[in-house]
């Protein structure tokens, strides 16, 4: 009997007698390559579930902190938490003690499973979190580590009877600014994201091999690199380090066919492609921030004739998702891709653009994006719930317009709209224009306070090799923008930098561009 609970994604394959299918690849404790079938991942999760119950005293409803890079062990821990009826609170690997402390306190964490290599910051955090009494280290060869304890347990576990309406995930927002917010998601939310975007827009196949960069602690990565392959019995590669430079050889090595990463990563990879065999690659997904038309074009040209997608190159599948909504809610497939547009609401979701008074705006007008569907925002004890959800509509904080064909076109984060001399200017539109120039590798456009105009448009630019920063190139880029989009949008200030500040999820930290380098 199906209960609409997350662990069924794993258990169903074993129950159907297909437990031998390849499920997850990566590296084990000793640095040895590791390949687990669905049955093996299930057995690992079952053994860990016994440890959670017998040795850590976890009961249904407890919140279990998970801290680790993307590894098969991390995947096993995640499913173990589901199987004991607890709530997974996965944290980004790069978090420091101060940030972990906030999460531990906000989510009232009592139990933690932590990759041995990331133990230090957690133990610093624990000094100030007396409530976290039980912690075990995984990815460990120590006799007191999780693996050694799990090895002594049976491979069978009688999964706790959770309900579809039980909370199973507390995901923290990455917070490009401000405090991280915990968002609660039920088992049915996990199952809903598996039924909406993947079958309608990604359309994976049973023999697909998924690969990518987002951490499992980021719901983009949890869905794309762990849950979605399981919807069709496909397999996934969990890489601990998935920089653009590491991702390309890994695609060749594992014969990966479906890739998930952020727009910036596609931009870095594009010029490096000819050194790698990408003949297995079939589909590429971009999310986390807006995909500029130039990046879509760049990736298509770079992959032309080199992949399983055929001679035309790979058309990126862009999708906007949010931690508050768990996963992607506006997207498109290869056939309906439109440069510069995010797409249309994913089947199961509705979306519209609202004006100042909450009225639905007609096509062409810029307003606040509002979304409704099977998943939604439930902040964990946070007064900002009422800012995010209005009459059942989720307000994501993004400024969008809908075009005549019903495609949603991203403008900016609502807070990031630049108001200069009375004009509303969306930084990402100026970025998209700058990226069309051959000198520009990366850029970020923000408003900078200005006496006369309120704000001026400021561009921070990373140059491609062979171009020289200076007033001459600034002038060239300004003229280029004026000739590409409405001239009043051109950047009055241009600053050149070696790199742009980004979060672990690949998002530009715009607030750090407003201050001088
Ligand atoms: C921005 C995008 C334009 C947008 C996420 C896929 O990014 C994810 O979740 P976060 O909570 O951030 C949400 C905000 O990020 N954004 C994300 N994708 C796009 N803007 N085009 C895009 N394609 O401002 C949104 O409100 O970190 C993405 C799946 C799961 C996720 N959690």
């Amino acid at each position: 009997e199906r209960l609409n609970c997350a662990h069924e994604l794993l258990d169903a394959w074993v129950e159907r007698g297909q437990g031998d299918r390849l499920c997850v690849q990566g590296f084990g404790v000793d640095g040895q390559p590791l390949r687990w079938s669905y049955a093996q991942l299930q057995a690992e999760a079952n053994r860990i579930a016994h440890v959670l119950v017998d040795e850590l005293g976890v009961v249904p409803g407890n919140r279990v902190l998970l801290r680790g890079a993307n590894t098969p062990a991390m995947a096993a821990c995640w499913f173990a938490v589901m199987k004991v009826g607890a709530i997974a609170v996965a944290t980004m690997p790069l978090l420091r003690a101060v940030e972990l402390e906030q999460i531990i306190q906000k989510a009232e964490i009592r139990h933690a499973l932590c990759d041995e290599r990331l133990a230090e910051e957690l133990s610093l955090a624990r000094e100030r979190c007396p409530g976290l009494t039980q912690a075990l280290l995984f990815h460990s060869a120590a006799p007191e580590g999780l693996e050694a304890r799990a090895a002594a347990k049976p491979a069978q576990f009688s999964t706790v009877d959770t309900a579809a309406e039980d909370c199973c995930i507390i995901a923290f927002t990455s917070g490009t600014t401000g405090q991280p917010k915990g968002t609660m998601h039920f088992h049915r939310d996990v199952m809903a994201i598996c039924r909406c975007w993947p079958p309608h827009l990604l359309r994976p196949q049973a023999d697909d091999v998924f690969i990518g960069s987002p951490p499992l602690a980021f719901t983009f990565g949890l869905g794309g690199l762990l849950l979605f392959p399981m919807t069709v019995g496909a397999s996934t590669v969990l890489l601990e380090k998935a920089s653009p430079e590491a991702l390309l050889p890994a695609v060749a090595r594992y014969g990966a066919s479906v890739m998930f990463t952020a727009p910036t990563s596609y931009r870095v990879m594009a010029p490096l492609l000819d050194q790698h065999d990408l003949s297995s690659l079939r589909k590429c997904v971009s999310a986390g921030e807006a995909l500029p038309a130039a990046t879509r074009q760049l990736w298509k040209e770079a992959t032309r004739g080199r992949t399983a997608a055929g001679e035309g190159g790979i058309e990126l599948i862009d999708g906007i998702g949010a931690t508050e909504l768990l996963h992607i809610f506006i997207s498109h497939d290869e056939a309906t891709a439109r440069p510069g547009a995010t797409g249309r609401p994913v089947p199961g979701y509705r979306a519209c653009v609202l004006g100042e008074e909450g009225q639905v705006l007609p096509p062409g007008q810029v307003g606040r994006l509002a979304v409704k569907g099977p998943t939604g925002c439930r902040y964990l004890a946070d007064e900002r719930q009422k800012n995010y959800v209005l009459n059942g509509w989720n307000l994501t904080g993004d400024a969008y317009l809908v075009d005549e064909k019903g495609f949603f076109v991203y403008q900016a984060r609502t807070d990031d709209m630049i108001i200069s001399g009375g004009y509303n200017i969306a930084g990402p539109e100026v970025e998209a224009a700058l990226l069309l120039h051959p000198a520009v590798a990366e850029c970020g456009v923000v408003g900078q306070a200005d006496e006369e105009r309120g704000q001026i448009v400021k561009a921070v630019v990373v140059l491609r090799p062979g171009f020289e920063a200076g007033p001459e190139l600034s002038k060239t880029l300004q003229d280029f923008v004026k000739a590409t989009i409405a001239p009043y949008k051109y950047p009055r200030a241009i600053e050149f930098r070696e790199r742009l500040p980004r979060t672990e999820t690949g998002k530009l930290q715009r607030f750090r561009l407003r201050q001088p380098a």
Side-chain angles (χ1 to χ4, degrees):
E1 190 198 358
R2 294 271 84 94
L3 296 168
N4 210 21
C5 291
H7 49 77
E8 289 160 19
L9 287 165
L10 173 60
D11 293 341
W13 296 100
V14 181
E15 282 162 25
R16 279 180 216 142
Q18 300 206 42
D20 290 340
R21 304 183 70 87
L22 177 62
C23 182
V24 52
Q25 300 186 74
F27 289 91
V29 186
D30 42 10
Q32 289 304 302
L34 207 141
R35 283 168 65 92
W36 283 343
S37 65
Y38 279 80
Q40 283 170 305
L41 176 63
Q42 188 200 47
E44 292 297 327
N46 285 348
R47 294 180 202 277
I48 297 168
H50 282 292
V51 176
L52 289 174
V53 173
D54 301 350
E55 298 183 28
L56 297 192
V58 172
V59 296
N62 279 168
R63 289 124 183 226
V64 181
L65 184 114
L66 297 176
R67 172 169 166 80
N70 289 2
T71 55
M74 180 75 170
C77 289
W78 194 87
F79 273 103
V81 172
M82 295 301 114
K83 282 172 164 272
V84 303
I87 300 169
V89 188
T91 56
M92 301 293 279
L94 291 181
L95 294 190
R96 298 278 192 175
V98 277
E99 293 138 328
L100 287 169
E101 210 180 295
Q102 284 180 13
I103 290 174
I104 292 164
Q105 270 154 11
K106 282 188 189 171
E108 298 173 38
I109 301 282
R110 296 225 295 271
H111 313 272
L113 299 178
C114 176
D115 189 311
E116 188 175 71
R117 298 162 295 180
L118 298 173
E120 195 175 320
E121 295 290 329
L122 182 65
S123 58
L124 287 174
R126 282 186 75 186
E127 288 171 16
R128 309 187 38 167
C129 299
L132 201 182
T133 53
Q134 306 287 329
L136 282 182
L137 298 179
F138 65 90
H139 211 278
S140 166
E144 67 281 6
L146 180 65
E147 278 83 1
R149 290 167 193 259
K153 304 288 180 191
Q156 309 298 325
F157 178 83
S158 155
T159 300
V160 169
D161 275 332
T162 46
E165 302 282 321
D166 286 343
C167 180
C168 68
I169 291 176
I170 298 176
F172 277 83
T173 57
S174 54
T176 43
T177 53
Q179 300 279 309
K181 289 164 276 187
T183 67
M184 294 189 280
H185 300 285
F186 299 161
H187 281 282
R188 68 166 159 83
D189 299 323
V190 172
M191 303 312 269
I193 60 165
C194 289
R195 285 175 191 138
C196 292
W197 182 79
H200 291 103
L201 295 156
L202 184 67
R203 293 187 293 270
Q205 296 171 355
D207 59 354
D208 271 321
V209 178
F210 285 55
I211 201 166
S213 67
L216 296 180
F218 180 27
T219 64
F220 179 40
L222 178 70
L225 298 178
L226 187 60
L227 308 178
F228 298 166
M230 294 188 160
T231 62
V232 291
S235 71
T236 187
V237 178
L238 295 176
L239 300 168
E240 294 166 29
K241 295 206 168 58
S243 64
E245 294 80 8
L247 208 45
L248 288 174
V251 170
R253 170 174 176 171
Y254 293 98
S257 55
V258 179
M259 180 149 77
F260 284 74
T261 189
T264 171
S265 171
Y266 288 111
R267 276 195 292 279
V268 178
M269 286 190 289
L272 309 174
L273 287 197
D274 22 318
Q275 301 150 38
H276 303 277
D277 172 11
L278 301 185
S279 55
S280 57
L281 201 57
R282 203 165 77 78
K283 285 172 181 277
C284 292
V285 180
S286 169
E289 65 178 10
L291 176 68
T295 306
R296 173 184 293 289
Q297 190 60 26
L298 188 70
W299 190 250
K300 201 170 174 176
E301 275 163 20
T303 52
R304 198 156 276 165
R306 310 177 47 88
T307 70
E311 282 310 306
I314 295 186
E315 189 76 71
L316 283 169
I317 301 175
D318 182 18
I320 178 172
T323 307
E324 285 85 348
L325 284 129
L326 198 53
H327 219 271
I328 293 173
F329 47 83
I330 296 176
S331 185
H332 59 78
D333 60 11
E334 292 91 337
T336 53
R338 297 253 314 260
T342 317
R344 288 184 287 211
V346 168
Y349 288 86
R350 284 184 289 159
C352 60
V353 173
L354 302 178
E356 291 293 333
E357 268 76 57
Q359 77 282 23
V360 176
L361 293 177
Q365 290 190 24
V366 177
R368 296 184 296 168
L369 179 66
V371 184
K372 211 180 245 200
T375 60
C377 177
R378 276 174 232 111
Y379 284 131
L380 178 70
D382 196 299
E383 69 285 357
R384 285 166 292 191
Q385 176 76 13
K386 62 181 180 303
N387 304 342
Y388 203 98
V389 184
L390 190 71
N391 303 325
W393 289 90
N394 294 272
L395 303 173
T396 63
D398 296 293
Y400 259 86
L401 66 78
V402 189
D403 71 11
E404 296 294 341
K405 295 215 167 91
F407 280 76
F408 284 71
V409 182
Y410 179 79
Q411 307 294 308
R413 292 287 304 168
T414 324
D415 308 339
D416 288 337
M417 287 295 292
I418 303 164
I419 303 170
S420 179
Y423 286 112
N424 280 311
I425 301 166
E429 188 189 356
V430 184
E431 289 162 13
L434 280 166
L435 283 169
L436 294 170
H437 193 280
V440 180
E442 285 261 47
C443 63
V445 169
V446 292
Q448 179 177 284
D450 181 75
E451 288 268 321
E452 200 183 319
R453 313 182 69 85
Q455 281 184 311
I456 57 164
V457 177
K458 168 181 161 183
V460 179
V461 173
V462 179
L463 293 175
R464 284 197 191 284
F467 291 90
E468 202 175 323
E472 211 174 311
L473 186 55
S474 291
K475 175 78 169 56
T476 306
L477 293 176
Q478 287 170 329
D479 290 343
F480 181 79
V481 173
K482 285 185 197 170
T484 309
I485 53 178
Y488 67 86
K489 296 175 184 170
Y490 87 95
R492 285 170 194 267
I494 294 190
E495 186 185 310
F496 296 98
R497 291 197 197 175
E498 290 295 315
R499 64 184 65 81
L500 298 181
R502 290 192 178 274
T503 64
E504 227 180 326
T505 54
K507 284 190 220 301
L508 189 58
Q509 293 173 305
R510 288 170 197 282
F511 70 98
R512 288 178 59 191
L513 296 183
R514 294 194 187 99
Q515 310 137 6

